[in-house]
């Protein structure tokens, strides 16, 4: 097999949510794979001084800021090869009350910002075999308690992927979902630190453990590279077997 199909050397890659968690690990993994990474988040990142990494502090709730930044990167680089929408927000609603500001923040970051990023990068990807990867969640497939805004946003993002895969196919742009299960991150720390919840989630997987964010690097490289040149509009599920577990 020719493993050059996984090559990301000098691929212009945009990744959101790179100040922590999965986004940060994906950025580090793509840098090691030779990509030229532009990270985006509302805070500074500890990998800002890494070679071949440029960090952009941005409010992903602001449409105009997104469009402006993509234009700056696309114009200076003359193309964009990969976009990974990884930034995410989750706010549990235990009292079942509707909290307008919280819900709007989640939808802005988890669904609307990926939409604006996708539509903005398309003009710099067309004809170059670009790849868009939307990081969703098994929450887009199943019901989970006390998190309706997050579940709704990730379900919407999953649908956006299928829609754009159809619309962008003629431009040579592939669009896919990377679907994580439970990974140990800052966002899931509260559940992980609760012995009962941690054990329940371990039992729900076939591999009997939580995922390490670094275990998403390989699947993301597959979707970003020519190794997946005939893959679009689909879900790559990385959940330790959660979604197919029976008894």
């Amino acid at each position: 097999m020719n493993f050059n199909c996984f090559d990301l050397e000098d691929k212009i890659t945009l990744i959101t949510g790179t100040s922590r968690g999965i986004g940060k690990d994906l950025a580090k993994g793509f840098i090691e794979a030779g990509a030229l990474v532009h990270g985006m988040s509302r805070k500074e990142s500890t990998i800002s001084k890494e070679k071949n990494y440029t960090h952009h502090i941005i409010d992903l709730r602001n449409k105009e800021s997104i469009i402006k930044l993509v234009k700056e990167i696309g114009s200076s680089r003359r193309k964009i090869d990969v976009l990974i929408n990884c930034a995410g927000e989750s706010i549990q609603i235990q009292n079942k009350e509707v909290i307008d500001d919280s819900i709007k923040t989640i939808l802005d970051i988890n669904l609307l910002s990926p939409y604006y990023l996708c539509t903005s990068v398309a003009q710099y990807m067309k004809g170059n075999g670009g790849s868009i990867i939307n990081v969703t969640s098994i929450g887009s497939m199943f019901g989970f308690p006390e998190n309706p805004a997050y579940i709704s946003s990730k379900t919407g993002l999953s649908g956006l992927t299928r829609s754009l895969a159809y619309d962008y196919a003629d431009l040579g742009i592939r669009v896919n979902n990377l679907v994580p299960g439970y990974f140990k991150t800052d966002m899931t720390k509260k559940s992980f630190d609760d012995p009962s919840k941690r054990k329940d989630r371990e039992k729900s997987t076939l591999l009997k453990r939580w995922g390490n964010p670094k275990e998403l690097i390989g699947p993301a490289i597959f979707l970003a590279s020519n190794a997946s040149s005939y893959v679009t509009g689909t879900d790559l599920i990385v959940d330790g077997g959660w979604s197919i577990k029976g008894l």
Side-chain angles (χ1 to χ4, degrees):
M1 180 178 179
N2 180 7
F3 286 97
N4 287 336
C5 63
F6 292 94
D7 182 32
L8 294 180
E9 194 70 27
D10 295 332
K11 294 286 187 181
I12 310 302
T13 302
L14 277 58
I15 305 176
T16 66
T18 53
S19 64
R20 63 175 187 167
I22 291 171
K24 179 180 175 181
D25 280 315
L26 289 181
K28 292 169 69 175
F30 271 61
I31 293 168
E32 291 178 11
L36 305 178
V37 178
H38 287 262
M40 304 180 194
S41 68
R42 57 189 170 188
K43 297 179 180 178
E44 190 57 78
S45 175
T46 57
I47 61 173
S48 294
K49 295 182 180 179
E50 291 275 352
K51 183 180 180 182
N52 294 335
Y53 179 81
T54 305
H55 192 71
H56 306 272
I57 295 178
I58 182 173
D59 183 354
L60 290 172
R61 297 170 297 179
N62 188 301
K63 173 184 175 181
E64 288 70 27
S65 296
I66 291 172
I67 294 172
K68 179 181 178 182
L69 180 56
V70 170
K71 183 177 180 180
E72 289 175 357
I73 296 172
S75 298
S76 63
R77 294 289 193 176
R78 298 186 179 277
K79 66 169 184 172
I80 294 172
D81 298 296
V82 181
L83 166 65
I84 305 178
N85 283 307
C86 189
E89 188 72 43
S90 176
I91 302 172
Q92 287 191 319
I93 303 174
Q94 295 181 335
N95 58 10
K96 307 298 187 293
E97 292 181 359
V98 176
I99 305 173
D100 290 342
D101 289 344
S102 298
I103 290 175
K104 186 176 187 306
T105 294
I106 291 171
L107 292 175
D108 281 345
I109 294 175
N110 296 5
L111 179 57
L112 292 180
S113 73
Y115 176 78
Y116 297 137
L117 281 158
C118 289
T119 54
S120 297
V121 302
Q123 62 178 309
Y124 300 104
M125 283 187 170
K126 59 184 179 182
N128 294 323
S131 173
I132 295 174
I133 303 168
N134 289 324
V135 179
T136 60
S137 164
I138 56 172
S140 68
M141 305 164 62
F142 306 109
F144 288 91
E146 300 171 351
N147 220 341
Y150 179 81
I151 300 299
S152 299
S153 67
K154 291 298 185 177
T155 302
L157 183 58
S158 180
L160 176 65
T161 293
R162 291 188 292 275
S163 178
L164 293 183
Y166 201 111
D167 292 343
Y168 289 172
D170 288 343
L171 301 177
I173 301 171
R174 298 180 296 107
V175 192
N176 291 289
N177 288 320
L178 181 60
V179 190
Y182 269 86
F183 282 74
K184 184 183 177 183
T185 65
D186 291 342
M187 185 182 292
T188 60
K189 186 178 186 304
K190 187 175 180 179
S191 294
F192 187 85
D193 289 344
D194 183 316
S196 177
K197 290 183 178 180
R198 182 169 70 247
K199 190 173 182 179
D200 283 344
R201 283 148 182 76
E202 289 172 352
K203 286 181 178 179
S204 293
T205 72
L206 291 177
L207 299 182
K208 306 300 182 187
R209 65 178 178 85
W210 289 52
N212 184 314
K214 291 181 174 60
E215 293 177 291
L216 288 165
I217 295 172
I221 287 177
F222 167 71
L223 290 177
S225 68
N226 288 334
S228 59
S229 59
Y230 200 53
V231 179
T232 195
T234 195
D235 296 326
L236 178 50
I237 302 170
V238 188
D239 67 353
W242 181 304
S243 56
I244 58 92
K245 188 175 183 296
L247 293 176

